Amino acid sequence: MKLICTQENLIKALNVAEKIVGRNVNLPILNNILLETDDGQLKLSSTNLEIGLNYWTRGKIEKEGSLTVPAKIITNFVMNLPKKNIEIEVKNETLNLKCENYQAKIKGVSAQEFPIIPKIKEEPLVILPAEEFKNAANRVISSVAVSETRPEITGVFMKIEKDNLTLAATDSYRLAEKKIKLQKPVQESISMIIPRTTINELIYIIGENQGELKISISQNQILFNFNNINLVSRLIDGQYPDYQQIIPNSFKIKAIIKTAELKNAVKIAGFFTNAQVSGIKIKLDLPTNKIKVNAETGEVGASNSEVEAKIEGDSVEVIFNYKYILDALNNMLTDQVILEMNDSSSPVLLKPENVKDYLYLIMPIKTE
Amino acid sequence: MKLICTQENLIKALNVAEKIVGRNVNLPILNNILLETDDGQLKLSSTNLEIGLNYWTRGKIEKEGSLTVPAKIITNFVMNLPKKNIEIEVKNETLNLKCENYQAKIKGVSAQEFPIIPKIKEEPLVILPAEEFKNAANRVISSVAVSETRPEITGVFMKIEKDNLTLAATDSYRLAEKKIKLQKPVQESISMIIPRTTINELIYIIGENQGELKISISQNQILFNFNNINLVSRLIDGQYPDYQQIIPNSFKIKAIIKTAELKNAVKIAGFFTNAQVSGIKIKLDLPTNKIKVNAETGEVGASNSEVEAKIEGDSVEVIFNYKYILDALNNMLTDQVILEMNDSSSPVLLKPENVKDYLYLIMPIKTE
């Protein structure tokens, strides 16, 4: 392999490819990035066996070929080079790089030993602005279950039906759901569970870049194509819980509050919780139109905050895990937020004011 | 105790006091900050037994008193309050804080149980611009020994003689020395060893603030006074090595190089070192007027960089620990740096071009 590319193009590709690379002691080749010439371009590939990435970047190919080299060392080296052309050449399973007065020889491993990244040839099922998908994913991902006891909730649920794409995530204590309108309706509805790490990678890859995101499905694999990048991932087997049935159809109590004010009160209350006591008390006080946020632990002390609100229905007192309500409020993005509930033991709904495509449901902590 | 102060003043004081607080399981009161009224002001104190801090801040004192409370919880609480007045009151060993619609009760421990922070009544030995001291300290502190085997080099050496204040630090592999000119000469010369953590705290306290730094000494204690803050620290016992004798009086070889270019070449070479091989080869090549920086490890590969230089005397090849030379170059601050040496096995001197008050000496790694 022999080619010339610019430092700027190569480091952009390496930074994306390097993120997938795992630290696999049993299979050290997974720490490597595969560089190969492909149809007049330089193709970089990396995989952790769950996710595979292909990144095509421009280069002047002088001789076809391939080699895998440790991701960290090539990325570090290229990152510190001047923004000039880099000459790349493979000799004796060693990658030779030259850029102005800097040279490196990086020992590699043959491309034959690199795992095959599955190819998905299916036509895209949906095409949408990548930024829109990224923003939606960002608002559900924190609700994905961390524990592996129920594998089916360790991913983001995606449902595509007519002109709706829905992303949802739950850890069984709280649930976040975001809907996106598609330009073109799909023929058949489909749903799947995408691993959390895949969604995280995709969020990172899209970053602040613009472009179309094309999503294709093949059996238990999903392909995200974004500009010159392909991200292939396995899907999670299993039946996602029918979360719609736990969202109450009607609510007796409703409050409208300034998001920032409630967030600050909850944040402060959080300091007065500990590993044993994670609950904070939120009281909707109908007569005074105030929300009282209270936390108390024996060893630390107590905090009490009051936030003005517009309350309808009744007074009620609910105990929340403060992390869940803080996360919900961080995802609201509007100046005012709506809280809806029926009593102190059934799910509480949070949604941004005047926004219909996002909701966050929290199960209260039961009082003894 | 009962008083009113502003959120801005209190959080500034807490942020400084909280940094000294250690995580001491055996003596939990060290996790606390002492708040007490003192001569019409609010005084905050914290200590880790090695360093003690007093911070005076304005307050409207309504009733004298004192209490200690956990540093983390009060800092977190006050940090999230609006920029308004805070009412503080001690009731039953509990600190009651109230700011607009936010209230907290923080359980405290009596001030009687708090360690006494030594008072130093001596007149200041020297007074100098705090910023100047901070900048000097910043340029030697990374050379302080981390290992505790030789306690006398685990601190910064400070010598005050005539109108010179000298700071120096060494870990026996490299040495950094910075001199400051004093406005007023001292009568008697004095030298001492200040713990690294004390210097680090002082750097943090001075931060971007302006003011005079007053230094007083009393037996084995040192007092730094900066605006409304007193920092008292023990000094390190022992004899600091007579490092002047290892600085060569003359050099046979000299090179002038662009600091940024050499730094980049060294940084790149560093990626081609590992835990076993930390040395990089620096060759001053007289005929070509170039510095060649080379690193090689069997498993990773090799790098070669060339930097233009102005070399006088002879060609020479020296092996350095790349971390030391990188640290030296990070402290140079001038566009060009001067390297002086005699041969491949004696100390190498680095200094900024046209600057006489700073030097960095590195022992090369001996070749077998």
Side-chain angles (χ1 to χ4, degrees):
Chain A
M1 185 172 78
K2 195 173 172 187
L3 63 103
I4 297 172
C5 63
T6 67
Q7 189 267 350
E8 283 129 307
N9 282 339
L10 187 57
I11 193 62
K12 238 192 251 177
L14 285 168
N15 278 335
V16 170
E18 192 226 20
K19 265 215 78 200
I20 308 279
V21 168
R23 281 179 201 189
N24 200 308
V25 183
N26 299 320
L27 208 53
I29 197 158
L30 295 185
N31 303 326
N32 284 15
I33 290 178
L34 167 63
L35 289 91
E36 61 185 317
T37 54
D38 181 40
D39 199 19
Q41 288 193 297
L42 171 63
K43 180 170 115 180
L44 276 72
S45 305
S46 59
T47 179
N48 60 12
L49 297 184
E50 180 167 89
I51 310 172
L53 178 125
N54 298 130
Y55 190 120
W56 287 266
T57 186
R58 275 190 293 176
K60 200 182 138 209
I61 313 295
E62 294 181 8
K63 197 180 153 198
E64 304 279 324
S66 62
L67 190 70
T68 83
V69 287
K72 205 178 150 195
I73 183 86
I74 184 171
T75 307
N76 280 339
F77 179 71
V78 173
M79 194 184 302
N80 286 280
L81 293 177
K83 293 193 170 93
K84 300 285 160 118
N85 280 342
I86 304 178
E87 294 169 38
I88 300 177
E89 191 174 0
V90 173
K91 279 185 204 163
N92 303 323
E93 298 218 332
T94 297
L95 196 72
N96 289 260
L97 298 113
K98 192 169 183 308
C99 178
E100 295 221 310
N101 47 333
Y102 298 99
Q103 283 184 46
K105 292 175 197 294
I106 302 176
K107 295 200 177 170
V109 176
S110 159
Q112 270 83 54
E113 297 184 31
F114 201 75
I116 289 165
I117 295 173
K119 284 201 171 63
I120 295 182
K121 305 230 186 268
E122 271 75 4
E123 283 298 300
L125 201 70
V126 281
I127 301 178
L128 73 166
E131 196 186 2
E132 217 173 304
F133 188 92
K134 182 195 77 174
N135 291 341
N138 260 328
R139 292 174 75 185
V140 303
I141 196 149
S142 54
S143 294
V144 173
V146 177
S147 151
E148 297 283 331
T149 35
R150 290 178 58 193
E152 73 277 11
I153 55 169
T154 61
V156 170
F157 176 71
M158 178 164 83
K159 185 174 176 180
I160 306 169
E161 191 174 31
K162 294 175 190 158
D163 62 348
N164 272 310
L165 185 152
T166 304
L167 296 181
T170 182
D171 59 6
S172 81
Y173 304 107
R174 38 66 186 272
L175 162 84
E177 186 199 63
K178 173 82 177 96
K179 286 181 190 293
I180 299 174
K181 272 272 170 261
L182 298 173
Q183 291 244 320
K184 219 176 107 185
V186 293
Q187 301 293 319
E188 278 178 72
S189 82
I190 184 168
S191 67
M192 67 210 74
I193 310 165
I194 309 163
R196 186 221 323 265
T197 46
T198 306
I199 296 292
N200 267 332
E201 287 306 329
L202 190 60
I203 289 171
Y204 175 79
I205 288 168
I206 296 170
E208 299 307 309
N209 303 304
Q210 302 290 320
E212 280 183 338
L213 182 70
K214 297 174 188 160
I215 306 176
S216 312
I217 315 284
S218 161
Q219 292 176 333
N220 67 336
Q221 302 277 353
I222 186 163
L223 166 68
F224 296 98
N225 169 262
F226 175 61
N227 298 334
N228 46 338
I229 303 169
N230 274 2
L231 188 76
V232 182
S233 165
R234 72 166 181 94
L235 292 168
I236 295 174
D237 285 334
Q239 184 69 40
Y240 202 76
D242 180 14
Y243 65 84
Q244 293 293 349
Q245 66 168 22
I246 61 154
I247 305 175
N249 291 317
S250 64
F251 295 97
K252 294 191 194 113
I253 304 164
K254 180 179 171 179
I256 306 179
I257 321 110
K258 287 206 173 114
T259 316
E261 287 188 10
L262 184 58
K263 202 195 290 185
N264 207 39
V266 169
K267 202 171 158 191
I268 284 179
F271 301 131
F272 291 81
T273 62
N274 58 28
Q276 285 75 46
V277 186
S278 61
I280 64 171
K281 209 183 283 174
I282 295 192
K283 186 176 175 181
L284 277 59
D285 192 50
L286 185 63
T288 60
N289 255 326
K290 282 196 171 150
I291 294 191
K292 296 178 181 179
V293 181
N294 163 245
E296 187 163 358
T297 54
E299 55 190 53
V300 180
S303 81
N304 275 294
S305 309
E306 286 185 1
V307 182
E308 285 186 33
K310 223 181 100 189
I311 300 167
E312 291 166 25
D314 204 352
S315 292
V316 67
E317 198 173 278
V318 191
I319 299 176
F320 286 103
N321 180 318
Y322 87 95
K323 284 178 193 159
Y324 298 159
I325 185 155
L326 197 58
D327 183 52
L329 292 168
N330 280 333
N331 280 304
M332 285 301 145
L333 312 187
T334 52
D335 286 348
Q336 298 207 109
V337 57
I338 298 170
L339 247 80
E340 289 180 312
M341 59 191 84
N342 285 310
D343 52 51
S344 62
S345 60
S346 54
V348 175
L349 190 79
L350 285 97
K351 56 188 188 187
E353 195 187 30
N354 299 325
V355 172
K356 296 216 182 301
D357 60 7
Y358 185 66
L359 66 86
Y360 202 110
L361 197 76
I362 306 178
M363 281 304 296
I365 295 174
K366 297 249 165 65
T367 45
E368 313 81 55
Chain B
M1 185 170 78
K2 195 173 172 189
L3 63 102
I4 297 171
C5 64
T6 67
Q7 189 267 350
E8 284 128 307
N9 283 338
L10 187 57
I11 193 62
K12 240 192 249 176
L14 285 168
N15 278 334
V16 170
E18 193 225 20
K19 266 214 78 199
I20 307 279
V21 168
R23 281 179 202 189
N24 199 308
V25 183
N26 298 320
L27 207 54
I29 196 159
L30 295 185
N31 303 327
N32 284 16
I33 289 178
L34 167 63
L35 289 90
E36 61 186 316
T37 54
D38 182 39
D39 200 19
Q41 289 193 299
L42 171 63
K43 180 170 116 181
L44 276 72
S45 305
S46 58
T47 180
N48 60 13
L49 298 185
E50 180 167 271
I51 311 174
L53 178 125
N54 298 129
Y55 191 120
W56 286 266
T57 186
R58 275 190 294 176
K60 199 181 139 209
I61 313 296
E62 294 180 8
K63 195 179 155 200
E64 304 279 324
S66 63
L67 190 70
T68 83
V69 288
K72 204 177 149 196
I73 183 86
I74 184 171
T75 307
N76 280 338
F77 179 70
V78 173
M79 195 184 301
N80 286 282
L81 293 177
K83 292 192 170 93
K84 299 285 160 120
N85 280 342
I86 305 178
E87 294 168 38
I88 300 178
E89 191 175 358
V90 174
K91 280 185 204 163
N92 304 322
E93 298 219 332
T94 296
L95 195 72
N96 289 260
L97 298 114
K98 191 170 184 309
C99 177
E100 296 221 308
N101 48 333
Y102 298 99
Q103 284 183 46
K105 293 176 198 291
I106 303 175
K107 295 202 176 168
V109 175
S110 160
Q112 271 82 53
E113 297 184 29
F114 201 74
I116 289 166
I117 295 172
K119 284 200 170 64
I120 295 182
K121 304 230 185 269
E122 271 76 4
E123 284 298 300
L125 201 69
V126 282
I127 301 176
L128 74 166
E131 198 186 2
E132 217 172 304
F133 188 91
K134 182 196 77 176
N135 291 341
N138 259 328
R139 292 174 76 184
V140 303
I141 196 149
S142 54
S143 294
V144 173
V146 177
S147 152
E148 297 283 330
T149 34
R150 291 178 57 194
E152 73 278 10
I153 56 169
T154 62
V156 170
F157 176 70
M158 179 165 83
K159 186 175 176 179
I160 306 169
E161 190 174 30
K162 292 175 191 157
D163 62 345
N164 272 311
L165 186 152
T166 304
L167 295 180
T170 182
D171 59 5
S172 80
Y173 304 107
R174 36 74 184 267
L175 162 84
E177 187 199 62
K178 174 82 176 94
K179 286 178 191 295
I180 299 174
K181 272 272 170 263
L182 298 173
Q183 289 244 321
K184 218 176 108 185
V186 293
Q187 300 292 321
E188 279 177 71
S189 82
I190 185 169
S191 68
M192 68 210 72
I193 309 166
I194 308 162
R196 185 221 325 263
T197 47
T198 306
I199 295 291
N200 267 332
E201 286 307 329
L202 190 60
I203 289 171
Y204 175 79
I205 288 169
I206 296 171
E208 300 307 310
N209 302 304
Q210 302 290 319
E212 280 182 337
L213 183 69
K214 297 175 189 161
I215 306 176
S216 313
I217 313 285
S218 162
Q219 293 176 330
N220 67 335
Q221 301 277 353
I222 187 165
L223 166 68
F224 295 98
N225 168 263
F226 175 60
N227 298 334
N228 47 337
I229 303 169
N230 275 0
L231 188 76
V232 182
S233 166
R234 72 165 182 94
L235 291 169
I236 294 174
D237 285 334
Q239 184 69 40
Y240 203 76
D242 179 14
Y243 65 83
Q244 292 294 348
Q245 64 167 25
I246 60 153
I247 305 176
N249 291 317
S250 64
F251 294 97
K252 294 192 196 112
I253 304 165
K254 181 178 171 178
I256 305 180
I257 321 110
K258 287 209 174 113
T259 316
E261 287 188 8
L262 184 58
K263 202 194 290 185
N264 207 40
V266 168
K267 203 170 158 191
I268 284 178
F271 301 131
F272 291 80
T273 62
N274 59 28
Q276 285 75 48
V277 186
S278 60
I280 62 169
K281 210 182 283 174
I282 295 193
K283 185 177 177 180
L284 277 59
D285 192 49
L286 185 63
T288 59
N289 255 327
K290 284 200 169 149
I291 294 191
K292 296 178 180 177
V293 181
N294 163 245
E296 187 163 358
T297 54
E299 56 189 54
V300 180
S303 81
N304 275 294
S305 310
E306 286 184 1
V307 181
E308 286 188 32
K310 222 182 99 189
I311 300 167
E312 290 166 25
D314 203 354
S315 293
V316 67
E317 198 173 279
V318 190
I319 299 175
F320 286 103
N321 180 318
Y322 86 96
K323 284 178 193 159
Y324 298 159
I325 186 155
L326 198 58
D327 183 51
L329 292 168
N330 281 333
N331 280 304
M332 286 299 144
L333 311 188
T334 52
D335 286 350
Q336 298 208 109
V337 57
I338 298 169
L339 248 78
E340 289 180 312
M341 58 191 83
N342 284 309
D343 52 50
S344 63
S345 60
S346 54
V348 174
L349 190 81
L350 285 96
K351 56 187 189 189
E353 195 187 30
N354 299 326
V355 172
K356 293 213 183 305
D357 61 7
Y358 185 66
L359 66 84
Y360 201 109
L361 197 76
I362 306 178
M363 281 303 296
I365 295 173
K366 296 247 166 66
T367 45
E368 313 80 57

